[in-house]
């Protein structure tokens, strides 16, 4: 059976070029980057080069790159690292209801430790409105954290505008954005004159951009102080203790270099968005009572979150998997959850429609032939499941009576 993978928002495959770059550091060049002998300094040079590669993707200083174990650690370091100096001492955090759980659960943990937390609502399109942030700001606000692109719908948030509002209110407010689903899919410019010049912290996960799982970055602007999560050595300029994962860091640097090239002229993202749009538009013509969650927003070019009324997403995911198409019912981190997606319910979807929503997320390796196969499988699977659905049968009886 030919398999097609459309769950890239959960994880991406490791690119051959990325594996080739990291392989020597798993076998031949195994030195500790903190050692002063030649093997150690060879490893240090590789880490420094990867730092430059990541800085090139983000258009920032290499010294502002902190290597971590992934997006969850980066999000936690951003929140606990900035608020951890004076936990509960009248500090205020603002985030949104549609964040990844790495941010939401960290915010809830901070709330239990005395930090005041405001969770901003979103519109029916899944966007955080600037006026909502403006109304929530207080003199004690220390940090604003709103994601750059949503992991379930792909919808981009107006982070540049939100950051500008926060800084206009007070230069002392720090701004963090979870860039896990944006990195490598859309241009990120953190330079002093770039759109994200007011962003102080930005999280990245390597396995969302064709690097290995267990790798990540927290961009930390040079004037930001972080209380470390781990206590040990002086690694990463005392911001993240622990021996560097040299092979993983080298791989992440290579993935960043490749992503920068793919984004450089816009042709790659445009081609991927074209495949996504053809997929959506064809299904909208062929399948009744379905739609696009987050339609009308600027989305990452690879993501389509679609609802199919009268179908359970879990059943559809399984049915498609049996035919060779890998998709997701939502965030991979919430796999097996009985509650509907917190993102979709925050957007105002009822429980039935939220549970009928499936995420199709393509990768840079997705081909037109892959999309053709998916277009053949999805209508068939939806039709078969609806034929077993009591609500669909009731609908058909009602239409027949009319």
């Amino acid at each position: 059976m030919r398999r097609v993978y459309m769950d890239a928002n959960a994880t991406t495959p490791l690119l051959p070029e990325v594996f080739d770059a990291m392989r020597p550091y798993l076998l031949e060049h195994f030195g500790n980057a903190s050692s002063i002998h030649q093997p150690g300094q060879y490893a240090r040079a590789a880490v420094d080069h990867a730092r430059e590669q990541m800085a090139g993707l983000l258009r920032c200083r290499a010294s502002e790159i902190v290597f971590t174990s992934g997006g969850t650690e980066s999000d936690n370091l951003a929140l606990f690292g900035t608020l951890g100096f004076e936990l509960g001492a009248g500090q205020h955090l603002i985030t949104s209801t549609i964040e990844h759980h790495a941010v939401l659960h960290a915010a809830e943990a901070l709330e239990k430790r005395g930090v005041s937390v405001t969770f901003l609502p979103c519109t029916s399109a899944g966007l955080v409105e600037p006026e909502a942030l403006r109304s929530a700001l207080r003199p004690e606000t220390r940090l604003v954290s709103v994601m750059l692109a949503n992991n379930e719908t792909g919808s981009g948030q107006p982070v540049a505008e939100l950051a500008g509002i926060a800084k206009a209110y007070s230069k002392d407010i720090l701004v963090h954005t979870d860039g896990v689903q944006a990195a490598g899919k859309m241009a990120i410019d953190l330079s002093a004159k770039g759109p994200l010049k007011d962003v102080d912290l930005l999280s990245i996960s390597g396995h969302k951009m064709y690097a290995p799982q267990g790798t990540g970055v927290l961009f930390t602007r040079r004037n930001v102080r972080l209380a470390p999560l781990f206590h040990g050595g002086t690694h990463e300029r005392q911001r993240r203790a622990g021996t560097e994962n040299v092979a993983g860091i080298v791989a992440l640097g290579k993935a960043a270099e490749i992503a920068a090239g793919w984004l450089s002229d816009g042709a790659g993202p445009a081609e991927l968005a074209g495949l996504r749009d053809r997929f959506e538009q064809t299904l909208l013509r062929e399948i009744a009572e379905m739609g696009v969650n987050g339609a009308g927003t600027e989305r990452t070019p690879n993501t389509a979150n679609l609802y199919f009324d009268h179908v359970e997403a879990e059943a559809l995911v399984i049915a498609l998997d049996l035919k060779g198409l890998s998709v997701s019912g939502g965030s991979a981190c919430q796999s097996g959850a009985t509650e509907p997606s917190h993102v979709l319910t925050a957007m105002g979807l009822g429980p039935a429609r939220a549970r009928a929503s499936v995420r199709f997320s393509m990768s840079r390796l997705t081909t037109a032939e892959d999309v053709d196969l998916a277009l053949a499988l999805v209508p068939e699977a939806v039709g078969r499941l609806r034929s077993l659905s009591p609500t669909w049968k009731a609908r058909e009886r009602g239409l027949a009576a009319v």
Side-chain angles (χ1 to χ4, degrees), residues 14-364:
L14 189 67
L15 291 178
E17 306 96 305
V18 172
F19 177 72
D20 289 343
M22 75 181 292
R23 185 185 182 281
Y25 296 90
L26 293 168
L27 299 173
E28 295 94 352
H29 307 303
F30 52 83
N32 186 320
S34 296
S35 299
I36 62 172
H37 49 56
Q38 188 179 61
Q41 291 309 294
Y42 195 93
R44 170 56 55 199
V47 170
D48 290 344
H49 179 59
R51 209 182 299 278
E52 293 284 354
Q53 290 172 309
M54 181 56 69
L57 175 66
L58 302 181
R59 299 185 183 181
C60 65
R61 297 178 176 87
S63 60
E64 295 173 318
I65 298 297
V66 179
F67 289 115
T68 69
S69 66
T72 295
E73 184 191 336
S74 294
D75 284 339
N76 276 260
L77 181 55
L79 271 64
F80 281 91
T82 54
L83 299 172
F85 291 102
E86 302 175 69
L87 274 177
Q91 296 191 97
H92 179 222
L93 163 66
I94 300 175
T95 186
S96 82
T97 55
I98 58 170
E99 299 298 308
H100 189 277
H101 281 100
V103 168
L104 287 179
H105 289 168
E108 290 164 0
L110 284 164
E111 195 169 31
K112 291 177 182 177
R113 300 186 190 190
V115 174
S116 177
V117 182
T118 297
F119 296 93
L120 301 177
C122 69
T123 67
S124 59
L127 298 179
V128 175
E129 293 186 299
E131 282 305 314
L133 172 61
R134 191 173 278 113
S135 299
L137 290 166
R138 309 176 193 165
E140 64 268 27
T141 302
R142 170 65 174 155
L143 179 68
V144 173
S145 178
V146 177
M147 67 195 335
L148 199 51
N150 188 263
N151 51 300
E152 295 195 30
T153 65
S155 296
Q157 298 299 321
V159 170
E161 185 177 1
L162 297 174
I165 290 170
K167 294 295 184 181
Y169 185 88
S170 171
K171 293 293 184 183
D172 293 330
I173 295 175
L174 297 175
V175 178
H176 166 251
T177 186
D178 181 334
V180 166
Q181 293 295 343
K185 299 172 188 172
M186 55 188 285
I188 296 177
D189 186 350
L190 292 160
S191 66
K193 295 183 179 179
L196 298 178
K197 64 183 183 299
D198 291 321
V199 169
D200 300 291
L201 303 126
L202 183 143
S203 305
I204 286 179
S205 177
H207 76 103
K208 310 295 187 179
M209 50 180 289
Y210 311 90
Q213 296 169 9
T215 61
V217 158
L218 178 64
F219 158 79
T220 307
R221 207 169 286 281
R222 61 179 177 173
N223 61 326
V224 174
R225 291 174 62 235
L226 286 179
L229 295 179
F230 309 144
H231 299 278
T234 59
H235 310 83
E236 298 299 300
R237 296 173 182 257
Q238 301 184 355
R239 296 171 295 189
R240 201 270 187 183
T243 301
E244 293 94 340
N245 171 13
V246 177
I249 288 170
V250 168
L252 183 51
K254 184 63 176 180
E257 180 184 86
I258 294 170
W262 185 76
L263 289 165
S264 61
D265 63 0
E271 182 179 356
L272 185 54
L275 289 176
R276 189 270 314 275
D277 293 345
R278 178 166 72 87
F279 177 70
E280 289 181 348
Q281 292 160 10
T282 303
L283 291 180
L284 287 168
R285 289 195 301 268
E286 295 186 4
I287 301 177
E289 297 193 31
M290 67 154 288
V292 180
N293 295 317
T297 65
E298 290 188 16
R299 291 177 286 157
T300 50
N302 74 316
T303 307
N305 192 299
L306 310 178
Y307 65 82
F308 304 90
D309 287 342
H310 312 283
V311 170
E312 285 288 335
E314 184 176 2
L316 182 55
V317 169
I318 293 171
L320 292 174
D321 185 53
L322 291 172
K323 293 293 184 179
L325 177 60
S326 300
V327 298
S328 171
S331 171
C333 300
Q334 288 300 105
S335 179
T338 56
E339 294 299 315
S341 158
H342 73 282
V343 172
L344 299 182
T345 53
M347 291 167 60
L349 274 70
R353 180 161 286 179
R355 288 194 176 98
S357 297
V358 174
R359 182 184 69 187
F360 300 81
S361 47
M362 303 175 188
S363 78
R364 299 204 300 258

